[in-house]
């Protein structure tokens, strides 16, 4: 209880004062990690029916899952780092061991005395023999890149060292590794609310007269302002931001242009509908957000009614989509039902939502891709679990007679799925930002 109160104080400091200094960030990261190891991991191992989980990495070539387990002061693995988690369900214990020369922070103890056993692989085999696990998971996966972490050399050396009697017990740890990456704890959700608020606040400043001077400022100016702002705050972006323009007299561009080939240095003018795609990394979690702003003309005090209506259509697609979340449903099932419902209402939706958390494009159910609206084989067949976060990413195309063209309302907000249903992590955009602010 005392540790959790310290945690809340640290997060409260961030909310009301500034981004946490590095030392305080480290304290939060290690506290969250300890909670995940001691309380979350045993549940996930029981759910996925693995009693031993082995992760193997070498320095600078880390398994993406192992990288999430390193303490705050470890920026990389050291030499060859082997982690072993052993779950004894009957005794309700979990061992966290490292076949390495060092303890891995305070959570994982070194279990290799090189002076007594010079061979690291044999030391790992000794641990396996002593515990005699029923099922041993290692990180390989056809469909989920983040959990396909064991490299060819380590796999073959491990299997060569493993006694034949244990070979039949080796299995993919795909389900456990996905669960570890996708599942959020209560502590992490407290942090996440602050992350999303910081993201929204940065966008609000970017989409203001402090940054945008209509007729002078370009889209690339705003993009690089976002990058610099994040750096100045001591944070990082996990992808390069983008800013684009939709306006009367210009045709709506294809998805490939919208997502990967936006024109740069386009001057922002009064009457433009502008859009950004932006996310940050902080305390090992990631955000991903898309919002819209309208540049008011001299005589205007609010956006045109037709753009406000178009924006409401975007919110409606969000509502349809998130109402179809249901534990156990696959990403493809949620996608197809939502698209069908949206089209039945006369909307033109596209949904391309991805898991969000320890990675930006994280592991878990893929719910559409912009170029795969009929479903995604493999990752789209994975089911929805509770205590998971998603970038609710989608758009709807709306015909604007006043502009004699279509516009695309593109929205993205962090959303949480838990035992009480769906909620946005920290609100969503429900009306257009205006520049200048009305």
């Amino acid at each position: 209880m005392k540790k959790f109160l310290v945690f809340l104080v640290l997060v409260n400091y961030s909310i009301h004062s500034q981004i946490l200094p590095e030392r305080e960030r480290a304290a939060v990261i290690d506290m969250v990690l300890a909670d995940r190891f001691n309380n979350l991991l045993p549940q996930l191992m029981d759910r996925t029916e693995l009693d031993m989980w082995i992760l193997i990495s070498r320095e600078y070539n880390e398994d993406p899952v192992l990288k999430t387990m390193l303490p705050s002061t470890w920026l990389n693995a050291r030499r060859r780092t082997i982690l072993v988690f052993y779950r004894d369900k009957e005794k309700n214990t979990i061992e966290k061991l490292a076949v390495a020369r060092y303890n891995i922070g305070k959570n994982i103890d070194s279990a290799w005395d090189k002076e007594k056993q010079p061979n690291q692989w044999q030391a790992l085999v000794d641990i396996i023999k002593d515990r005699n696990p029923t099922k041993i998971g290692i990180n390989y996966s056809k469909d989920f890149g983040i959990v396909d972490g064991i490299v060819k050399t380590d796999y073959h050396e491990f299997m060569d060292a493993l006694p034949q009697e244990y070979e039949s017990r080796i299995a993919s740890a795909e389900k456990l590794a996905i669960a570890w990456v996708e599942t959020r704890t209560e502590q992490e959700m407290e942090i996440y609310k602050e992350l999303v608020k910081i993201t929204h606040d940065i966008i609000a400043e970017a989409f203001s007269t402090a940054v945008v001077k209509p007729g002078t400022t370009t889209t690339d100016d705003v993009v690089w302002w976002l990058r610099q702002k994040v750096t100045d705050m001591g944070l990082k972006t996990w992808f390069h931001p983008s800013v684009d323009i939709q306006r009367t007299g210009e045709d709506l561009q294809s998805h490939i242009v919208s997502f990967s080939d936006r024109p740069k240095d386009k001057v922002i003018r009064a009457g433009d509908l502008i859009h950004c795609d932006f996310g940050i990394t902080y305390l090992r979690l990631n955000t991903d957000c898309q919002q819209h702003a309208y540049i008011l003309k001299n005589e205007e005090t609010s956006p045109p009614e037709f753009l406000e209506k178009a924006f409401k259509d975007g919110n409606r697609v969000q509502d349809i989509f998130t109402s179809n979340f249901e534990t156990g449903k696959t990403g493809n099932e949620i996608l197809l039902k939502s698209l069908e419902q949206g089209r039945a209402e006369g909307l033109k939706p596209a949904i391309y939502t991805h898991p969000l958390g320890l990675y930006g494009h994280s592991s878990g159910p893929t719910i559409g891709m912009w170029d795969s609206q009929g479903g995604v084989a493999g990752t789209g067949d994975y089911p929805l679990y509770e205590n998971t976060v998603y970038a609710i990413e989608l758009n709807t195309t709306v015909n604007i007679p006043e502009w004699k063209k279509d516009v695309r309302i593109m929205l993205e907000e962090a959303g949480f799925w838990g035992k009480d249903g769906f909620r946005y992590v920290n609100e969503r955009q429900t009306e257009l930002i205006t520049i200048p602010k009305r």
Side-chain angles (χ1 to χ4, degrees):
M1 182 66 181
K2 183 178 179 182
K3 284 187 175 181
F4 189 67
L5 290 174
V6 172
F7 163 80
L8 290 176
V9 168
L10 290 172
V11 173
N12 189 61
Y13 171 71
S14 177
I15 292 171
H16 296 292
S17 181
Q18 61 185 33
I19 302 298
L20 289 173
E22 290 289 351
R23 192 169 188 171
E24 281 74 12
R25 290 191 213 188
V28 171
I29 288 169
D30 290 339
M31 189 181 304
V32 168
L33 199 53
D35 177 52
R36 288 176 61 82
F37 279 136
N38 296 325
N39 300 313
L40 176 62
L41 184 56
Q43 298 174 35
L44 300 181
M45 293 186 74
D46 292 349
R47 187 180 91 189
T48 55
E49 299 180 330
L50 288 177
D51 53 343
M52 181 171 282
W53 189 16
I54 298 174
L55 299 91
I56 308 168
S57 283
R58 282 174 289 168
E59 194 169 8
Y60 307 133
N61 192 30
E62 288 81 9
D63 175 329
V65 179
L66 181 144
K67 201 166 179 67
T68 70
M69 297 173 166
L70 298 178
S72 60
T73 54
W74 280 49
L75 305 185
N76 300 93
R78 296 177 184 172
R79 303 181 184 180
R80 177 179 272 115
T81 297
I82 302 175
L83 304 185
V84 180
F85 301 100
Y86 177 65
R87 168 68 171 159
D88 189 324
K89 192 173 180 180
E90 289 187 5
K91 295 180 181 178
N92 193 26
T93 59
I94 185 163
E95 288 185 276
K96 306 179 291 294
L97 307 172
V99 188
R101 295 289 278 165
Y102 320 93
N103 291 337
I104 313 296
K106 295 181 179 179
N107 292 306
I108 304 174
D109 295 329
S110 172
W112 180 30
D113 186 340
K114 190 176 181 181
E115 282 63 43
K116 291 183 179 179
Q117 174 51 266
N119 188 300
Q120 189 178 20
W121 294 115
Q122 187 57 50
L124 172 59
V125 168
D126 290 343
I127 289 173
I128 295 171
K129 286 181 175 179
D130 287 345
R131 287 151 186 83
N132 195 30
T134 302
K135 194 172 182 181
I136 304 168
I138 58 175
N139 288 353
Y140 61 87
S141 170
K142 175 180 176 290
D143 296 316
F144 293 86
I146 290 174
V147 305
D148 188 35
I150 191 164
V151 300
K152 182 178 176 66
T153 300
D154 287 336
Y155 175 79
H156 285 299
E157 291 198 17
F158 171 55
M159 295 304 292
D160 287 345
L162 189 68
Q164 188 173 1
E165 64 185 284
Y166 293 99
E167 289 182 6
S168 62
R169 307 185 197 185
I170 298 295
S172 169
E174 178 184 86
K175 290 182 179 179
L176 175 56
I178 293 171
W180 170 265
V181 171
E182 75 171 347
T183 307
R184 302 277 68 80
T185 64
E186 181 183 351
Q187 290 182 350
E188 287 175 301
M189 291 313 302
E190 288 296 322
I191 294 171
Y192 235 137
K193 286 190 290 187
E194 172 63 3
L195 256 72
V196 175
K197 181 181 184 300
I198 293 168
T199 305
H200 287 169
D201 288 348
I202 294 171
I203 292 173
E205 187 176 354
F207 281 178
S208 75
T209 53
V211 176
V212 176
K213 313 297 183 199
T216 301
T217 305
T218 69
T219 52
D220 235 26
D221 290 336
V222 183
V223 165
W224 286 106
W225 182 91
L226 287 166
R227 285 291 299 270
Q228 191 62 52
K229 177 70 174 182
V230 171
T231 298
D232 292 346
M233 293 175 72
L235 301 174
K236 293 181 180 178
T237 54
W238 65 272
F239 66 96
H240 186 61
S242 63
V243 175
D244 60 274
I245 297 171
Q246 297 179 82
R247 61 167 59 123
T248 183
E250 294 184 3
D251 291 339
L252 180 64
Q253 299 296 315
S254 69
H255 275 81
I256 193 69
V257 172
S258 298
F259 288 104
S260 66
D261 196 23
R262 293 178 176 94
K264 295 181 179 180
D265 281 331
K266 199 169 182 181
V267 176
I268 298 170
R269 305 193 308 230
D272 284 347
L273 178 66
I274 65 173
H275 159 268
C276 71
D277 191 352
F278 171 69
I280 63 172
T281 301
Y282 179 44
L283 297 174
R284 294 197 176 174
L285 294 172
N286 296 273
T287 64
D288 200 353
C289 186
Q290 295 181 46
Q291 294 194 347
H292 288 270
Y294 176 73
I295 315 300
L296 294 172
K297 298 177 181 178
N298 287 336
E299 69 277 9
E300 291 178 321
T301 57
S302 62
E305 186 176 345
F306 57 82
L307 286 183
E308 291 185 321
K309 182 181 181 303
F311 193 84
K312 293 299 180 187
D313 285 350
N315 283 156
R316 178 57 188 153
V317 174
Q318 289 176 318
D319 292 340
I320 291 170
F321 174 51
T322 57
S323 72
N324 286 316
F325 276 37
E326 183 180 323
T327 300
K329 278 190 176 181
T330 68
N332 288 332
E333 289 172 332
I334 296 168
L335 168 73
L336 296 176
K337 184 176 181 181
S338 300
L339 290 175
E340 181 183 7
Q341 186 176 341
R343 290 164 183 160
E345 292 189 16
L347 300 166
K348 296 180 180 179
I351 296 170
Y352 32 94
T353 283
H354 56 87
L356 185 67
L358 298 175
Y359 290 95
H361 291 154
S362 199
S363 285
T366 297
I367 313 178
M369 291 183 176
W370 65 267
D371 56 352
S372 299
Q373 289 297 283
V376 182
T379 58
D381 297 319
Y382 188 82
L384 186 73
Y385 284 97
E386 293 178 1
N387 301 318
T388 50
V389 172
Y390 301 87
I392 305 300
E393 186 176 12
L394 47 76
N395 75 57
T396 189
T397 301
V398 182
N399 182 257
I400 305 294
E402 293 85 350
W403 280 8
K404 298 179 181 178
K405 62 170 287 184
D406 290 341
V407 300
R408 189 178 291 126
I409 302 299
M410 298 169 279
L411 299 173
E412 188 170 18
E413 292 287 357
F416 174 77
W417 176 251
K419 62 182 177 61
D420 297 323
F422 177 85
R423 63 176 169 82
Y424 286 98
V425 173
N426 195 345
E427 302 180 345
R428 62 168 172 168
Q429 186 182 12
T430 55
E431 59 181 28
L432 290 168
I433 299 168
T434 60
I435 304 173
K437 190 175 181 180
R438 51 183 161 169

